[in-house]
Amino acid sequence: MIILGYESSCDETGVALVCTERGVLSHALHTQAAMHEAYGGVVPELASRDHIRRVIPLTRQALSQAGLELSAVDMLAYTAGPGLAGALLVGAGSAQAIAWSLGKPAIGIHHLEGHLLSPRLADPKPDFPFVALLVSGGHTQLMRVDGVGEYELLGETLDDAAGEAFDKTAKLLGLGYPGGPALAALAEQGNERRFDLPRPLLNRAGFDFSFSGLKTAVLQQVQRAGGLEQLDEQARADLAASTQAAIIDVLVAKSLATLKDTGLKRLVVAGGVGANQRLRGRLKRQAASLGATVFFPPVALCTDNGAMIAYAAAERINAGLEVVGDKRHQFVIRPRWPLAEIGTAVLEDHDQ
Ligand code: KG4
Ligand code: ZN
């Protein structure tokens, strides 16, 4: 079965073709990061308008890369939530319109389920059960995953997400948006021991995170130096390295604690922050000391993309999961969709 998938929940337009037997056939992506950079963050209205401009050219690109005609598509999938309502509507509307024109079903996918399952696109592929560390711009969660659709929340952030901590501190250091990759690159030149930054909840029982205090601590360091202009290149790099180390220390410690607590031997890392090479290295080394293996999605599929959405639909189909049917091609989106309610994915099949 060939699935055409759409991701448009935030500032990436992703379109991909995935085969339930053969995996990813093609994926096309446009990131709006440069457009939002001037504003220091995503402007929802601009995001929606840009998704509309990109969605059809990207669909053509994905089809031509896979050497397929639209008529080869058996099913459509799109991110139904969580995300920006206007942005989600573009993917939902496109997928539903194409589904209607082809006489095929369309299924709404939870964005985080896409991230959670994306490490199974890598070789080797993690078997269930595993612990998943989901670290994106909007989410920081540790989950126990026993199978497709079987997700148990173990811990999550009480305030800012890990990606947000990267982005906000990067902004304080005068780096562009999104700040994660820029901060990580600058950190490579720095000394992570130069600035003493807090590791919130590190030694506290439980698997929750808190990152909002970190941004305040970085701001205080900048103010102590007399403002950003007073920090030379080396001091900025040292502050970037110290910030990255503080975030990674907490992510690694809590991930290891969940492995110990659950007794599971597989850790899967997903979401944009999972592209961070330092985080990858530390997790691999420290999990190995517990006899556990760490799995990552291919780097290109760590941040938002259409392949993870089409793939999550393929996993649901391969697992024989029941999906809720609807004969009307409504643009069903859920901007605030708790992962706990994932069983209520929406399938629309007007042939029923
Ligand atoms: O999963 P994602 O593409 O979008 C959301 O659903 O949020 O994640 C984006 C987040 C941003 O906060 C970005 O700064 C962060 O992932 N990020 C990184 C790196 N690459 C992306 N953070 C740290 N190091 C990186 N290399
Ligand atoms: Zn995401």
Side-chain angles (χ1 to χ4, degrees):
M1 185 183 251
I2 291 176
I3 301 166
L4 176 57
Y6 288 87
E7 157 61 33
S8 67
S9 65
C10 188
D11 60 346
E12 260 101 22
T13 324
V15 183
L17 283 151
V18 166
C19 170
T20 44
E21 289 84 37
R22 289 178 291 141
V24 180
L25 304 177
S26 67
H27 85 104
L29 188 73
H30 174 76
T31 175
Q32 305 175 352
M35 182 180 82
H36 296 296
E37 192 174 359
Y39 306 94
V42 177
V43 183
E45 177 62 22
L46 293 183
S48 314
R49 290 187 215 167
D50 199 60
H51 285 307
I52 290 175
R53 270 196 292 275
R54 309 287 174 183
V55 73
I56 298 302
L58 287 170
T59 303
R60 293 207 176 97
Q61 194 182 323
L63 285 165
S64 91
Q65 266 171 21
L68 291 175
E69 298 289 330
L70 198 53
S71 55
V73 171
D74 299 300
M75 185 186 235
L76 281 290
Y78 61 92
T79 305
L84 303 169
L88 288 167
L89 278 170
V90 178
S94 307
Q96 292 292 9
I98 294 171
W100 178 80
S101 74
L102 294 173
K104 305 285 178 179
I107 177 174
I109 293 290
H110 194 294
H111 182 79
L112 296 184
E113 182 171 45
H115 277 305
L116 268 186
L117 298 175
S118 63
R120 283 168 56 81
L121 281 167
D123 188 20
K125 156 178 170 173
D127 288 326
F128 300 114
F130 53 74
V131 169
L133 170 67
L134 196 64
V135 269
S136 71
H139 296 85
T140 302
Q141 297 183 326
L142 277 159
M143 327 258 320
R144 182 191 167 106
V145 179
D146 285 294
V148 180
E150 294 175 56
Y151 314 123
E152 184 195 340
L153 184 65
L154 302 173
E156 65 182 332
T157 186
L158 305 175
D159 40 58
D160 288 353
E164 229 175 330
F166 269 101
D167 293 340
K168 287 182 177 172
T169 48
K171 200 170 174 182
L172 284 175
L173 292 177
L175 305 169
Y177 169 85
L183 190 119
L186 182 60
E188 285 308 306
Q189 323 297 324
N191 169 10
E192 63 178 45
R193 278 185 255 276
R194 166 131 176 227
F195 294 96
D196 188 21
L197 296 173
R199 268 76 172 151
L201 306 186
L202 183 67
N203 298 313
R204 194 92 58 84
F207 312 118
D208 287 337
F209 304 89
S210 166
F211 288 110
S212 64
L214 185 60
K215 148 193 94 205
T216 314
V218 173
L219 179 63
Q220 280 166 351
Q221 294 288 355
V222 173
Q223 284 169 343
R224 203 166 297 160
L228 193 58
E229 315 72 50
Q230 303 303 318
L231 285 175
D232 63 19
E233 258 316 291
Q234 191 56 52
R236 284 185 205 203
D238 292 345
L239 196 46
S242 304
T243 305
Q244 176 174 259
I247 298 171
I248 291 178
D249 274 357
V250 180
L251 292 176
V252 171
K254 296 288 175 183
S255 302
L256 261 62
T258 51
L259 284 176
K260 281 188 198 144
D261 190 73
T262 58
L264 297 180
K265 294 292 177 203
R266 283 181 286 264
L267 174 69
V268 153
V269 183
V273 182
N276 187 283
Q277 294 299 334
R278 290 271 160 181
L279 175 67
R280 287 179 169 232
R282 279 276 303 280
L283 279 174
K284 266 190 211 155
R285 278 196 303 281
Q286 291 189 234
S289 69
L290 292 180
T293 313
V294 190
F295 299 84
F296 302 93
V299 174
L301 301 182
C302 271
T303 45
D304 293 349
N305 64 84
M308 70 182 193
I309 300 305
Y311 181 70
E315 287 263 59
R316 288 195 150 255
I317 290 158
N318 285 338
L321 278 187
E322 198 188 334
V323 267
V324 182
D326 188 331
K327 290 183 184 166
R328 299 151 299 163
H329 282 278
Q330 291 176 312
F331 301 178
V332 183
I333 57 156
R334 296 184 66 177
R336 293 170 205 277
W337 185 3
L339 195 56
E341 292 174 21
I342 193 125
T344 54
V346 188
L347 172 76
E348 300 202 339
D349 182 350
H350 69 264
D351 290 338
Q352 279 175 359

